[in-house]
Amino acid sequence: MTSLKENVHQYLPAAVSNDDKVEIYLTRGDYQYYHYGCDGVNDYGWGCGYRTLQSLASWIRKQQIRNNQMNVADVPSIRNIQELLSAMGDKESSFIGSKLWIGSVEVGLVLDKVYDTPCKIVHIHSGSELHKYVDEIKQHFVKFGCPIMMGGNTDNSSKGIMGLKTDGMNSSLLIVDPHFVGNVEREKLISEGFVHWRNISDFDQNSFYNLCMPQLKGLQ
């Protein structure tokens, strides 16, 4: 496996504001950035959900090690993830070795199984209603500081949510996109939009979205 970069959301300029009305909430603690092909597996076009799961798993793993928890599991491989979902009865045995996608619900099942970390699944009927969930996202970062997995249907590209910026009227999510291929470079991740702030009005207004929110507290 190539050396994985950590905390790539920090490649963006410091998220600060001179406007007292703007509130910024970020993930607390370290994670590794998993993306297409980062471990030698060619998952281009289908593996984004697995990669976001792995990024979240790396965060949970580091928290558990920091808390001196015994026998902390490694970050599962794509094959491991498929085997786990099949063993749990969520998928057929034919799912193992396939190129079938996974979403937020499967991510929650795996994280709970591997790390004994329950995950809250929040279903958002459409992107046009995303603004109604800003406070819930805010409270997640305040209480847990844990990255969030975001998936959808029309907009079916998995996303890691590493932060929230809001002034009460306009809100943006800090996106870490796993669709990157190649050697991770700060300039490339930013210039090509793999790490960016996205206003909630720019999400697909007709796509539903599911958020997977692991319920584990990070650094204070």
Side-chain angles (χ1 to χ4, degrees):
M1 180 185 293
T2 58
S3 179
L4 296 170
K5 302 295 185 182
E6 290 193 342
N7 308 329
V8 295
H9 70 284
Q10 295 179 354
Y11 288 176
L12 291 172
V16 296
S17 174
N18 294 322
D19 188 341
D20 292 339
K21 296 180 180 179
V22 176
E23 301 175 350
I24 298 169
Y25 305 91
L26 300 174
T27 186
R28 300 191 301 272
D30 299 327
Y31 66 90
Q32 293 172 300
Y33 173 50
Y34 282 80
H35 56 89
Y36 279 165
C38 64
D39 54 3
V41 175
N42 182 7
D43 57 317
Y44 182 80
W46 58 272
C48 60
Y50 299 90
R51 299 308 187 183
T52 301
L53 187 163
Q54 290 173 321
S55 292
L56 267 62
S58 73
W59 184 93
I60 293 172
R61 184 174 188 275
K62 288 175 181 291
Q63 294 302 315
Q64 292 184 341
I65 290 172
R66 175 177 172 269
N67 292 331
N68 298 314
Q69 185 167 321
M70 301 296 291
N71 302 317
V72 177
D74 291 334
V75 173
S77 67
I78 289 177
R79 177 87 180 187
N80 293 154
I81 293 166
Q82 293 180 335
E83 290 172 345
L84 283 165
L85 288 169
S86 176
M88 283 188 278
D90 183 71
K91 305 294 182 187
E92 300 291 336
S93 60
S94 58
F95 179 69
I96 302 171
S98 73
K99 297 181 178 180
L100 297 176
W101 300 0
I102 62 170
S104 297
V105 173
E106 291 93 338
V107 169
L109 289 172
V110 172
L111 294 178
D112 192 9
K113 178 68 174 180
V114 175
Y115 299 102
D116 195 24
T117 297
C119 297
K120 181 178 181 180
I121 302 297
V122 176
H123 177 70
I124 301 172
H125 181 69
S126 68
S128 62
E129 297 183 355
L130 191 54
H131 66 280
K132 298 178 181 178
Y133 295 84
V134 167
D135 189 63
E136 186 160 3
I137 295 170
K138 167 186 169 179
Q139 293 306 319
H140 173 82
F141 282 116
V142 169
K143 183 175 182 180
F144 297 106
C146 180
I148 297 169
M149 151 80 175
M150 185 181 204
N153 62 334
T154 306
D155 177 7
N156 52 29
S157 296
S158 163
K159 305 166 185 65
I161 308 300
M162 305 300 173
L164 167 72
K165 178 168 57 177
T166 183
D167 64 4
M169 296 293 291
N170 295 293
S171 302
S172 298
L173 299 179
L174 178 47
I175 306 294
V176 169
D177 187 330
H179 296 82
F180 181 82
V181 178
N183 294 322
V184 174
E185 300 174 359
R186 177 181 184 274
E187 293 76 13
K188 195 170 185 180
L189 282 184
I190 294 174
S191 65
E192 297 185 9
F194 291 99
V195 178
H196 67 284
W197 286 99
R198 183 183 300 182
N199 193 285
I200 59 172
S201 64
D202 293 334
F203 285 84
D204 189 325
Q205 299 296 287
N206 298 311
S207 177
F208 77 66
Y209 289 99
N210 284 329
L211 305 180
C212 176
M213 298 178 166
Q215 306 290 285
L216 180 66
K217 290 187 178 181
L219 296 165
Q220 295 299 318

